[in-house]
Amino acid sequence: MDLADFDLTAAADRGADMQLEHPVTGEPLLTEAGEKITIRLLGNDSREFRAALSDLAEKQAGKKRQSLAAAEAHSVDLLARLTLGWQGIVYKGVPLEFTRENAAKLYRERPFIREQIDRFIGDRGNFFGNGKPA
């Protein structure tokens, strides 16, 4: 096996669809028409993830501590940057158009979505498919 075959960055940069789940039961969430509600995401090995961490490090340079609110804001910003799009998102009775701003608002107001995204983007198997090189 040639380790050069494992291009995790390329796999994470392609993105993958995460099916949103009910925050308590874990059941897949579906639209009124019975279609999957999905969010398309980049992974932790993506170039965008590393760029976002670099930006955060620059902002935090010289600061000794950050508040919980600031940490949450950074998390929301990071996840919004890793979001490529979505299908079936309805919020407050209205289909929600995908924009980075709308992603940040949704993730800020519904922390259970952030938690699901955190788990999803950290699992290389979601991007690398069956553990085999792409």
Side-chain angles (χ1 to χ4, degrees):
M1 171 61 61
D2 185 341
L3 295 181
D5 292 339
F6 293 97
D7 189 349
L8 300 176
T9 299
D13 281 344
R14 280 191 294 276
D17 292 328
M18 177 192 83
Q19 183 166 4
L20 204 55
E21 298 174 349
H22 188 282
V24 177
T25 67
E27 293 292 318
L29 294 180
L30 304 173
T31 66
E32 294 288 326
E35 297 173 350
K36 296 177 181 180
I37 297 174
T38 60
I39 301 175
R40 183 105 179 135
L41 300 159
L42 298 171
N44 279 355
D45 292 306
S46 68
R47 286 185 279 267
E48 184 64 28
F49 183 84
R50 287 193 301 274
L53 289 184
S54 178
D55 291 348
L56 177 58
E58 285 181 29
K59 289 178 187 175
Q60 293 300 309
K63 294 183 181 178
K64 294 184 187 216
R65 301 180 96 168
Q66 78 173 319
S67 69
L68 179 58
E72 183 176 286
H74 293 308
S75 174
V76 164
D77 179 60
L78 170 64
L79 298 181
R81 286 179 66 169
L82 296 179
T83 304
L84 299 175
W86 55 47
Q87 296 293 319
I89 300 284
V90 174
Y91 192 61
K92 298 184 179 180
V94 178
L96 191 61
E97 176 187 3
F98 170 72
T99 65
R100 186 179 280 179
E101 294 77 21
N102 281 345
K105 177 182 177 173
L106 186 65
Y107 302 160
R108 197 172 25 259
E109 295 181 8
R110 295 296 175 259
F112 79 91
I113 297 174
R114 285 198 319 260
E115 293 165 6
Q116 289 180 33
I117 291 173
D118 279 335
R119 284 191 305 269
F120 185 86
I121 65 174
D123 182 348
R124 288 185 173 120
N126 290 323
F127 300 91
F128 209 58
N130 301 327
K132 295 181 182 175

